Structures are given as structure tokens and as C-alpha cells.
Amino acid sequence: MKINVLKKMALLAFMCLGVAVKGFSQFDISKTTLKVDWQMNAPFSTGFADKLSGWGMNFELGYQFTPRWEAGVFASFHTNHKYVGRQTLPLSPTESLTTDQQRSAFQVPFGVMGAYNLSTNRYVKPYIGVKMGTMFARNTTYFGSGGVYDKSWGFYVSPEIGLKIYPTGKKWGFHVAGYYSYATNKTQTLTCDIEGQNHAGFRLGVIF
């Protein structure tokens, strides 16, 4: 009985190995793309650090399964800042704090991405896409000689529309995209609680 079970397990392992080898043999590295983008980003509806900022980057590693469909993984980071002038903040019924503030919102989303090319032209390819995954967020308020911060994890989703431009019709080119993103992160700050984070922005980069 044990011998039959071992035989079945060995057969299953060889079948899985065969499928893996076949899949690897069909893998075409020329269909992989790496995008490296500079990123502009503006949070809104939080009131914490809602200034447009260019302190960000986006990285994508994709594979083109068909002339129109691409999927892969992504990771990005961004920091937004906002200065708030001196004011008196009520901390409790018997406590208050008079200070100015330097606010900093740091985000790191990462996960999977998919895109659909609206054209198969060699030189210019408009597309629509979506990114999904998780996001780490850290919101910090600096005041006086110290500061307070809170960090959290949340679900992340980001639809986008963009354009891939290949000047020579080859693999390398330029990338431009506009996007909206939403994350479910919840954080507490010195002056307010944030539930959910909305962002909008654009990316400009290169494709390899």
C-alpha cells in the first residue's frame, strides 16, 4: 500500500516537473519589460499632507502574454509634505499645545499589475491598466524638537491610463501615465484621524 502511494506521489512530482519545464521552455525573455518612472503625486480628502509632490518613484516588471495583454508586479514609493504655521491645538479638556507643524506622509504600495494595449502599433501604444496589492503608510507630524507618527497596512488599488512610446519600434522607449489610487490604511495624527487614502498623479519614465 505504501509503495503504491509513493509511486503515485513520484508520478505526480514528475508530471508537475514536466509542466514547469514546458512552461519555462515557452518563456520568452524578449517579452519582459522593466519600467522605471519618476512620479508626481497629490493626496486629497485627508487634510494631512495634501501638497503635490515629486518625491516618488515607480517600478514595474511585466510580461507581454499577447500583443495586447501584459501582467506583472510593481512597487513604488512616495512622500508628501505640508507645513502648518504656529497654532494652538487642544489635546484634551485640560491640555493644549502651541506649535507649528511639518507634516510628512510616506507610502509604499506594491503588488500585481495588468494592462491592456488599445493599439498594437510598434511605435505608440496607448493602454489602460490597474494595480492591486497592499500599501504601507507612515504619517509623521514634526513639531518642536520631536514628533509623533503612526503607521499602518492596507489594501491598495490603482486604475491608470497611459502611453508607451517606442521611437525606433524596438523594446526600449518612454512611458507616461496618469493614475488614481485608493488605500484602506487608517492612521492617527496629532490633529485628526485618517481613514482611507486617496491619491492622484502622473508618471514619466523609461521602458527597457
Side-chain angles (χ1 to χ4, degrees):
M1 185 68 178
K2 290 183 178 180
I3 295 177
N4 289 334
V5 172
L6 290 174
K7 285 182 178 180
K8 291 180 181 179
M9 291 177 64
L11 179 61
L12 180 61
F14 278 115
M15 290 175 62
C16 292
L17 180 61
V19 171
V21 170
K22 183 178 179 181
F24 183 77
S25 65
Q26 294 176 344
F27 178 80
D28 186 352
I29 195 169
S30 67
K31 295 181 179 180
T32 61
T33 59
L34 173 65
K35 297 184 184 74
V36 180
D37 298 312
W38 167 68
Q39 180 172 281
M40 292 288 291
N41 180 70
F44 57 93
S45 76
T46 64
F48 179 71
D50 53 3
K51 300 298 183 181
L52 181 67
S53 164
W55 294 96
M57 295 287 289
N58 175 70
F59 306 92
E60 297 177 31
L61 182 62
Y63 186 82
Q64 189 172 332
F65 292 92
T66 73
R68 291 190 181 270
W69 286 102
E70 180 184 4
V73 294
F74 81 96
S76 63
F77 66 89
H78 207 99
T79 302
N80 295 86
H81 301 284
K82 182 179 181 179
Y83 175 76
V84 179
R86 191 175 182 84
Q87 58 182 312
T88 299
L89 307 172
L91 302 180
S92 73
T94 59
E95 295 177 303
S96 63
L97 174 66
T98 300
T99 184
D100 59 351
Q101 303 172 52
Q102 179 64 51
R103 298 174 179 176
S104 176
F106 178 64
Q107 310 97 29
V108 182
F110 57 92
V112 296
M113 53 77 65
Y116 178 76
N117 293 320
L118 300 175
S119 170
T120 57
N121 185 280
R122 290 177 56 194
Y123 299 96
V124 180
K125 294 183 180 181
Y127 73 92
I128 54 175
V130 64
K131 294 178 172 64
M132 295 181 65
T134 188
M135 187 175 89
F136 170 78
R138 173 171 168 151
N139 291 333
T140 306
T141 302
Y142 300 96
F143 58 92
S145 59
V148 294
Y149 72 89
D150 192 18
K151 55 187 179 181
S152 68
W153 291 88
F155 171 74
Y156 175 89
V157 61
S158 175
E160 70 177 53
I161 183 169
L163 193 65
K164 293 178 280 190
I165 304 170
Y166 301 92
T168 63
K170 299 293 180 64
K171 185 177 178 179
W172 72 273
F174 303 100
H175 175 236
V176 59
Y179 70 91
Y180 163 80
S181 68
Y182 174 75
T184 60
N185 300 68
K186 298 180 180 181
T187 55
Q188 289 185 319
T189 69
L190 184 64
T191 56
C192 63
D193 296 342
I194 299 173
E195 294 192 11
Q197 298 188 26
N198 297 273
H199 303 85
F202 67 90
R203 302 184 178 104
L204 180 64
V206 292
I207 307 171
F208 300 99

